[in-house]
Amino acid sequence: MLTTKSAGNAYDVALENFDAAADALQLDNDTREMIKYPERVLTVTVPVRMDDGHIRRFEAYRVQHSSVRGPAKGGIRYHPQVTLDEVKALATWMTWKCAVVNIPFGGAKGGITCDPKHMSLGELERMTRRYTSAILPLIGPEQDIPAPDVYTNSQTMAWIMDTYSMTKGYPIPGVVTGKPISLGGSLGRNEATGRGVFYTIQSACDHLLMSLKGATVVVQGFGNAGSIAAQLLYEAGAKVIAVSDSTGCVYNPHGLDIHNLMHLKALTGKVAGFPEAESIRPEELLALECDVLIPAALENTIHAENAGAVRARIIAEAANGPLTPAADRILEAKGVFIIPDILCNAGGVTVSYFEWVQDEQHLFWEAQDVYNRLERVMKTSFRDVLKIHEERPAPMRLAANMLGVGRVAEAVKLRGIYP
Ligand code: NAD
């Protein structure tokens, strides 16, 4: 497997981002104490009977960072490198993200330290159901609503929804989002993150007076978020010159046929071996000259050691936390326009919100309706962040954090402290 992350601790980065925004907003200490740290942190042991008959124990987490603006909301990640600090960081970012796009949710995240690529479907189902029962007291449509993240998908959500509903005794589709359509999922949810990334790149190009047609694009991580963003950019006339996943990197300076590449990935689970492309190393991919670089894998993939080599005009953070603060400073100094994660990839949680609304109302929308509403939310949020970026002036990440943290601070001040 390719090396994904530097040794950086994502939670330290999340706290550093918060402090910078709180300082810029001149938040008082009481408000900082109320909103900075997770409200609830749960660690559970998940024993699973494996296919060979023995029992294996997995460590798993659910963190609710904030319920100030609404029920906690956030995905569930299955990955060998999941740690409690990573989940805390991701939960924290969810809080600011939901506030940036102004949807009535707080932030949460879950994760299981496991290697799903080496587990059977049966093992994954048993692990998911046992994990669901372990976090059951925390989740619910009005409390905390999980969704897919890295190496979890709509099938995972179907198992969670079923386990939760069986325990309560009646179907409760609103307990998760990112479900299959036939179980109360929303049209457009599967591609929502990549579509949102695409809309923010369109906005950035408009702002920088760049044409998307013919723009060169590099994508690190060809999963749900990365592949859909690549597909929409390709269909809009951009030239996607390089793409990677955990198995390798493919490069063609004349542009890759993204439809064919998606087909290969669906068939083999890999981008490696794609014809009409050469294989390059991960560090070469990040250093390619391009108009738009989309990190869409895991956090901390661009850091102090490799940021200097980046030659992109725009970085669109489809992944959560792909840049370390040191990388941020280097790229900022180089004049790279960064679309920060809590804005760039907020399309996923936005359509999750639409899904939850549809479930609550038992009334479902057409795909085009979802896309139109999503485009409106993403482009309005981009404008809101850009306004702070230009007026203050502040780097885009600080501007996004100021918007998100500021909205949560306002809500907590209005609610006051209980008791
Ligand atoms: P996914 O599991 O669908 O895809 C992850 C992809 O990254 C896979 O193709 C994998 O092969 C690749 N990858 C892993 N390690 C890599 C490496 N070292 N180099 C290159 N590629 C590598 O996951 P996803 O849902 O697309 O999530 C990707 C990122 O987007 C994560 O940071 C996630 O938190 C973020 N995100 C996802 C959503 C969503 O709705 N799915 C929403 C917001 C943010």
Side-chain angles (χ1 to χ4, degrees), residues 234-307:
Y234 173 73
E235 289 169 358
K239 203 158 72 167
V240 184
I241 56 171
V243 153
S244 70
D245 67 8
S246 61
T247 65
C249 313
V250 289
Y251 168 59
N252 183 337
H254 305 295
L256 300 159
D257 183 323
I258 295 301
H259 292 155
N260 286 345
L261 189 56
M262 288 177 91
H263 187 60
L264 179 82
K265 175 89 178 169
L267 276 182
T268 65
K270 301 173 182 187
V271 297
F274 186 61
E276 295 169 31
E278 61 176 287
S279 164
I280 57 171
R281 285 176 289 118
E283 57 274 24
E284 291 176 302
L285 176 125
L286 287 178
L288 286 171
E289 186 167 359
C290 60
D291 293 308
V292 186
L293 170 63
I294 307 179
L298 296 171
E299 54 275 8
N300 295 346
T301 53
I302 304 180
H303 41 78
E305 287 77 51
N306 62 10

Side-chain angles (χ1 to χ4, degrees), residues 57-358:
R57 182 188 72 87
F58 296 92
E59 193 151 291
Y61 315 97
R62 185 72 188 169
V63 173
Q64 293 175 347
H65 176 263
S66 175
S67 59
V68 172
R69 298 178 82 250
K73 184 88 190 77
I76 292 176
R77 177 174 294 193
Y78 291 175
H79 195 278
Q81 291 166 335
V82 163
T83 62
L84 178 56
D85 269 358
E86 178 181 58
V87 178
K88 282 161 73 177
L90 291 163
T92 308
W93 287 325
M94 283 305 297
T95 302
W96 319 136
K97 187 184 301 183
C98 292
V100 164
V101 286
N102 216 357
I103 56 177
F105 283 142
K109 204 79 181 190
I112 307 185
T113 314
C114 65
D115 190 354
K117 286 190 175 171
H118 294 106
M119 293 172 71
S120 71
L121 203 62
E123 289 168 342
L124 286 170
E125 177 174 355
R126 291 192 290 281
M127 182 178 76
T128 302
R129 288 184 181 279
R130 181 63 189 240
Y131 170 67
T132 306
S133 87
I135 63 167
L136 205 107
L138 294 198
I139 61 173
E142 310 299 336
Q143 285 169 265
D144 177 357
I145 307 132
D149 190 69
V150 174
Y151 299 153
T152 55
N153 55 29
S154 59
Q155 176 61 76
T156 324
M157 296 306 113
W159 291 327
I160 296 176
M161 179 264 181
D162 182 70
T163 307
Y164 186 82
S165 300
M166 285 295 119
T167 315
K168 300 287 177 187
Y170 58 97
I172 308 175
V175 65
V176 284
T177 58
K179 295 178 292 293
I181 305 294
S182 53
L183 290 178
S186 174
L187 293 170
R189 172 60 186 93
N190 186 48
E191 58 270 36
T193 303
R195 186 171 280 277
V197 170
F198 171 70
Y199 292 142
T200 61
I201 293 172
Q202 273 187 329
S203 293
C205 285
D206 289 348
H207 167 63
L208 299 170
L209 305 176
M210 278 168 65
S211 168
L212 202 50
K213 216 170 162 53
T216 49
V217 178
V218 170
V219 183
Q220 179 205 42
F222 202 62
N224 174 282
S227 69
I228 302 290
Q231 181 199 343
L232 293 171
L233 288 162
Y234 173 73
E235 289 169 358
K239 203 158 72 167
V240 184
I241 56 171
V243 153
S244 70
D245 67 8
S246 61
T247 65
C249 313
V250 289
Y251 168 59
N252 183 337
H254 305 295
L256 300 159
D257 183 323
I258 295 301
H259 292 155
N260 286 345
L261 189 56
M262 288 177 91
H263 187 60
L264 179 82
K265 175 89 178 169
L267 276 182
T268 65
K270 301 173 182 187
V271 297
F274 186 61
E276 295 169 31
E278 61 176 287
S279 164
I280 57 171
R281 285 176 289 118
E283 57 274 24
E284 291 176 302
L285 176 125
L286 287 178
L288 286 171
E289 186 167 359
C290 60
D291 293 308
V292 186
L293 170 63
I294 307 179
L298 296 171
E299 54 275 8
N300 295 346
T301 53
I302 304 180
H303 41 78
E305 287 77 51
N306 62 10
V310 170
R311 288 184 294 156
R313 229 173 130 191
I314 296 174
I315 294 184
E317 294 186 333
N320 285 304
L323 270 58
T324 64
D328 235 356
R329 286 188 283 273
I330 293 167
L331 293 162
E332 207 40 63
K334 286 171 79 160
V336 179
F337 186 84
I338 295 168
I339 313 173
D341 48 7
I342 61 171
L343 168 66
C344 187
N345 69 34
V349 76
T350 301
V351 178
S352 273
Y353 166 59
F354 297 162
E355 179 175 333
W356 179 80
V357 167
Q358 292 170 78

